[in-house]
Amino acid sequence: MKVFFAVAFLLVSAAPVVSSAADHAKLPKEFWVEIKPGKAHEECVELKKDAEITYRFKASQPVPFNIHFHTGKGKEAKVEYGVKLDAIDAKEDVFRPSIDEHYCWMWTNKTTQSVTLSGEIKTK
């Protein structure tokens, strides 16, 4: 029993830390967050295929950004990307989901300083 709890603790401790707005939140969403070095922030929402979602954001320095969803479970789990950019500090665009799914907008701070991020996600 002690081994189980030790393994469970290690698995939870090793998981990446991501700050996130409440899952399954409704649109529109406005956000302002500080992303600590080595951490990430996600804004997630359930979307229907072919919805037109406008989004805009501004970060205090360039950060990796993506819009993604997860498929499969266990060894079959994969992350599918609708948008994936290596380093960007601002963007305004329209996203059209290819399938009904739980999508997440994600920003990752790979710098040594905190990054301030603000933006909005809404239906067009």
Side-chain angles (χ1 to χ4, degrees), residues 53-113:
I53 309 301
T54 61
Y55 66 96
R56 63 175 176 76
F57 66 86
K58 178 149 181 56
S60 57
Q61 43 190 320
V63 293
F65 163 71
N66 69 70
I67 301 174
H68 69 273
F69 63 91
H70 299 266
T71 62
K73 299 209 186 270
K75 292 181 181 180
E76 302 298 319
K78 291 193 310 187
V79 178
E80 302 285 338
Y81 295 94
V83 174
K84 188 173 183 181
L85 302 169
D86 289 334
I88 190 164
D89 63 356
K91 185 167 179 63
E92 186 168 342
D93 208 345
V94 176
F95 177 68
R96 291 175 184 86
S98 58
I99 62 171
D100 295 358
E101 191 58 71
H102 182 80
Y103 289 85
C104 293
W105 278 245
M106 183 174 173
W107 300 262
T108 305
N109 182 359
K110 294 185 176 182
T111 72
T112 58
Q113 301 175 4

Side-chain angles (χ1 to χ4, degrees), residues 9-82:
F9 174 76
L10 288 173
L11 289 173
V12 171
S13 300
V17 176
V18 175
S19 66
S20 179
D23 284 349
H24 306 286
K26 302 286 184 201
L27 295 177
K29 298 176 87 171
E30 289 187 46
F31 52 92
W32 184 96
V33 296
E34 179 182 330
I35 308 172
K36 303 275 186 205
K39 306 298 182 199
H41 176 74
E42 289 186 318
E43 293 286 339
C44 302
V45 67
E46 291 287 334
L47 297 177
K48 298 288 184 189
K49 178 182 176 181
D50 297 327
E52 290 193 2
I53 309 301
T54 61
Y55 66 96
R56 63 175 176 76
F57 66 86
K58 178 149 181 56
S60 57
Q61 43 190 320
V63 293
F65 163 71
N66 69 70
I67 301 174
H68 69 273
F69 63 91
H70 299 266
T71 62
K73 299 209 186 270
K75 292 181 181 180
E76 302 298 319
K78 291 193 310 187
V79 178
E80 302 285 338
Y81 295 94

